[in-house]
Amino acid sequence: MQLDKLVEYHKALSDATRIRILFLLKRGPMHGQALAGKLGVSAPTITHHMTKLRNAGVVKERRNKNTIYFEIDERSFKQSAEAMLATFFGPNLSESQGGTVEEHERFRMSVLNNFFTLDGKLKQIPAQRKRRLVVLEHIVRDLRPGQEYTEKEINEYIQRFHDDYCTIRREFIVNQYMYRQHNIYELNPREMWSDWRTT
């Protein structure tokens, strides 16, 4: 990969808003107004970010009548990422997740068995962050992607597991399980969640 293309690719991915855009586009194509609404930014801001992503070969456009839809250019995106890794680490880079799938599952089940009662109630919120993330991931599992929840609905949902809904609701936001806008909550894409497997 040429140096200027390498720099442009990494500049495009060095902005938090653009990363959030990509997580949203991972669900499927979206037009600019929908992206602006989801992210709480203006349409010109979305245009600015999409220009950066398009120039870096990360997204592409398609027109449907008078509406332009954006989607991830999967082939170009993968080529850029693979070229970057190959440049520094060689073509046979092997990724490590800090443990095997079996080890992760044993740890997860151990945490759930220790912190939840047989009827699914949370005994206490774990002090250690890794265990707390396992618990939060378990609690959030029945919330539906794309559905909007009022604060009251989220509080009632959390109370099925634990009385301290304020702390758990705050942890949902801090650890990127959900985002909040005007007291409306929505589940983030799973890729945005804090991952206990890498903590």
Side-chain angles (χ1 to χ4, degrees), residues 1-14 52-58 75-77 79-85 87-88:
M1 178 181 272
Q2 296 176 1
L3 181 59
D4 56 344
K5 289 184 179 180
L6 190 63
V7 170
E8 189 172 34
Y9 170 75
H10 276 276
K11 279 185 177 179
L13 300 181
S14 66
K52 297 282 188 184
L53 291 169
R54 187 178 61 247
N55 290 343
V58 177
R75 180 172 170 275
S76 176
F77 197 176
Q79 282 180 343
S80 296
E82 288 167 1
M84 175 67 183
L85 292 173
T87 298
F88 288 97

Side-chain angles (χ1 to χ4, degrees), residues 16-43 45-46 49-50 144-149 173 176 178-189 192:
T17 299
R18 291 197 279 274
I19 295 296
R20 290 191 71 191
I21 287 171
L22 292 176
F23 279 131
L24 291 172
L25 291 180
K26 189 173 183 292
R27 300 176 179 177
M30 295 179 69
H31 56 77
Q33 282 297 120
L35 288 168
K38 289 280 188 184
L39 296 173
V41 299
S42 66
T45 297
I46 292 296
H49 288 304
M50 299 316 293
R144 297 179 180 177
Q147 181 169 330
E148 295 183 343
Y149 297 90
I173 301 300
Q176 297 291 310
M178 306 192 81
Y179 69 94
R180 176 184 59 209
Q181 186 176 9
H182 307 306
N183 287 326
I184 297 296
Y185 294 74
E186 188 173 339
L187 202 64
N188 274 324
M192 293 178 69

Side-chain angles (χ1 to χ4, degrees), residues 1-197:
M1 178 181 272
Q2 296 176 1
L3 181 59
D4 56 344
K5 289 184 179 180
L6 190 63
V7 170
E8 189 172 34
Y9 170 75
H10 276 276
K11 279 185 177 179
L13 300 181
S14 66
D15 181 273
T17 299
R18 291 197 279 274
I19 295 296
R20 290 191 71 191
I21 287 171
L22 292 176
F23 279 131
L24 291 172
L25 291 180
K26 189 173 183 292
R27 300 176 179 177
M30 295 179 69
H31 56 77
Q33 282 297 120
L35 288 168
K38 289 280 188 184
L39 296 173
V41 299
S42 66
T45 297
I46 292 296
T47 300
H48 165 76
H49 288 304
M50 299 316 293
T51 298
K52 297 282 188 184
L53 291 169
R54 187 178 61 247
N55 290 343
V58 177
V59 301
K60 58 186 177 181
E61 302 175 356
R62 65 174 175 82
R63 182 180 290 274
N64 185 359
K65 297 181 180 178
N66 294 325
T67 304
I68 295 175
Y69 287 85
F70 300 100
E71 57 187 305
I72 293 176
D73 189 337
E74 188 172 342
R75 180 172 170 275
S76 176
F77 197 176
K78 284 182 176 178
Q79 282 180 343
S80 296
E82 288 167 1
M84 175 67 183
L85 292 173
T87 298
F88 288 97
F89 302 105
N92 296 318
L93 176 70
S94 87
E95 298 180 68
S96 171
Q97 294 290 326
T100 65
V101 173
E102 292 80 8
E103 289 169 341
H104 288 151
E105 184 60 17
R106 280 197 299 270
F107 177 79
R108 187 181 74 86
M109 291 307 300
S110 172
V111 171
L112 297 182
N113 288 335
N114 285 331
F115 283 92
F116 284 90
T117 64
L118 292 177
D119 61 352
K121 295 289 187 181
L122 179 62
K123 299 174 187 176
Q124 66 185 70
I125 300 171
Q128 188 201 45
R129 184 166 187 265
K130 184 170 183 175
R131 288 179 169 82
R132 189 164 65 249
L133 292 177
V134 172
V135 164
L136 293 171
E137 183 179 291
H138 179 75
I139 291 175
V140 85
R141 73 193 188 285
D142 289 331
L143 294 173
R144 297 179 180 177
Q147 181 169 330
E148 295 183 343
Y149 297 90
T150 64
E151 189 162 284
K152 181 175 183 290
E153 288 172 329
I154 289 296
N155 292 345
E156 290 173 349
Y157 175 82
I158 293 170
Q159 283 181 298
R160 291 164 41 188
F161 302 92
H162 197 272
D163 290 335
D164 190 358
Y165 57 83
C166 291
T167 296
I168 294 177
R169 190 184 67 223
R170 184 170 61 248
E171 290 284 336
F172 281 173
I173 301 300
V174 169
N175 292 293
Q176 297 291 310
Y177 293 97
M178 306 192 81
Y179 69 94
R180 176 184 59 209
Q181 186 176 9
H182 307 306
N183 287 326
I184 297 296
Y185 294 74
E186 188 173 339
L187 202 64
N188 274 324
R190 177 176 283 271
E191 292 84 359
M192 293 178 69
W193 299 0
S194 295
D195 190 351
W196 57 267
R197 296 162 189 83

